[in-house]
Amino acid sequence: MEKCVQSIIVGSLLGDGWLNQISPTLKSVFCLKCNDKSIGYLEWIRKEIRELKPSVLKSVEKYSQHYFYTQSREDIGNLRKIFYPNEGKKIVPPNIKSLLTDPVSLAIWYQDDGTLDFRSKYHRNALIATHCFSFEDCVLLKDTLQENFGIKVSVCKCQMRGKMYYRLYVLSESMDCFVETIRPHIHQDYAYKIR
């Protein structure tokens, strides 16, 4: 798999993407689903990873969503081993610092799971939902963003539907660096996330 394609997959795995193993082989497929408002983004990702031979977009009409999946491959299966070591539960792999090095990975992750807290004239901070990851995973991501991109974030608690989750909050002093790092890789469907 080309490095730029792997970077997209890594960013998406931190966000909305997932990997399904094709039993009984070691091969897996990469899958991504978006709501219909972001269908242009989904098509863009499909085009960028065409070497993985993605399917045509398929609809989930009940939920106004579309998705695709790729060809099954062993190199995707290798990624599944590190992101899903406990069969079924996605984690942040211990070697994330060597995987999350390309700005495109960060941009894909933010487009999938990020929001911009923007108040005209005095406030602009990015948040990245990390609800499926443990506190330890979030600290590892925090350290990775600082070390690999010079972006400072804090790990915050948030409550949703009565449960506590974690998310990453980009500190004000790092917002300009964060936006300039990801701007070249932001699809027009998500331009509002960087204002």
Side-chain angles (χ1 to χ4, degrees):
M1 174 185 320
E2 288 183 23
K3 185 163 186 345
C4 60
V5 172
Q6 179 173 305
S7 294
I8 289 170
I9 302 298
V10 166
S12 189
L13 288 175
L14 292 171
D16 292 336
W18 73 96
L19 303 176
N20 283 339
Q21 185 173 358
I22 306 302
S23 296
T25 71
L26 297 176
K27 295 180 179 180
S28 292
V29 297
F30 167 69
C31 311
L32 183 62
K33 178 170 53 179
C34 289
N35 70 39
D36 290 348
K37 292 177 186 172
S38 305
I39 203 162
Y41 171 74
L42 201 61
E43 285 283 16
W44 174 64
I45 297 287
R46 273 186 74 246
K47 182 180 169 205
E48 293 297 308
I49 64 164
R50 60 187 165 272
E51 91 169 67
L52 303 180
K53 297 184 172 57
S55 68
V56 297
L57 290 186
K58 300 179 181 296
S59 67
V60 187
E61 291 179 22
K62 184 178 176 184
Y63 298 104
S64 300
Q65 296 174 328
H66 276 79
Y67 70 97
F68 70 81
Y69 53 87
T70 65
Q71 177 183 58
S72 64
R73 294 170 48 134
E74 281 190 28
D75 50 2
I76 300 174
N78 291 334
L79 280 174
R80 191 175 196 287
K81 283 184 214 169
I82 60 173
F83 276 91
Y84 297 82
N86 303 319
E87 287 309 311
K89 174 122 174 87
K90 184 164 58 169
I91 64 155
V92 174
N95 66 333
I96 193 64
K97 284 182 184 173
S98 66
L99 294 170
L100 182 58
T101 58
D102 190 327
V104 75
S105 297
L106 183 56
I108 297 293
W109 178 26
Y110 180 65
Q111 288 172 100
D112 280 8
D113 276 348
T115 56
L116 183 66
D117 182 4
F118 180 83
R119 291 164 227 175
S120 181
K121 296 183 183 175
Y122 70 94
H123 186 83
R124 180 181 74 145
N125 289 90
L127 300 129
I128 304 176
T130 48
H131 299 164
C132 69
F133 299 131
S134 69
F135 176 75
E136 292 74 21
D137 283 349
C138 291
V139 169
L140 183 53
L141 288 167
K142 169 186 171 292
D143 294 344
T144 299
L145 292 179
Q146 169 74 53
E147 189 173 313
N148 291 356
F149 301 101
I151 296 167
K152 294 181 179 178
V153 303
S154 61
V155 179
C156 305
K157 284 184 179 179
C158 65
Q159 188 169 358
M160 189 172 70
R161 297 185 191 108
K163 285 185 73 175
M164 294 303 293
Y165 296 97
Y166 298 102
R167 63 183 174 181
L168 302 182
Y169 181 88
V170 179
L171 302 183
S172 297
E173 64 192 87
S174 286
M175 270 305 294
D176 287 344
C177 176
F178 177 71
V179 170
E180 291 314 308
T181 300
I182 65 174
R183 184 187 300 280
H185 311 289
I186 296 292
H187 186 271
Q188 63 187 14
D189 285 357
Y190 290 122
Y192 68 91
K193 291 193 177 191
I194 59 170
R195 295 288 282 240

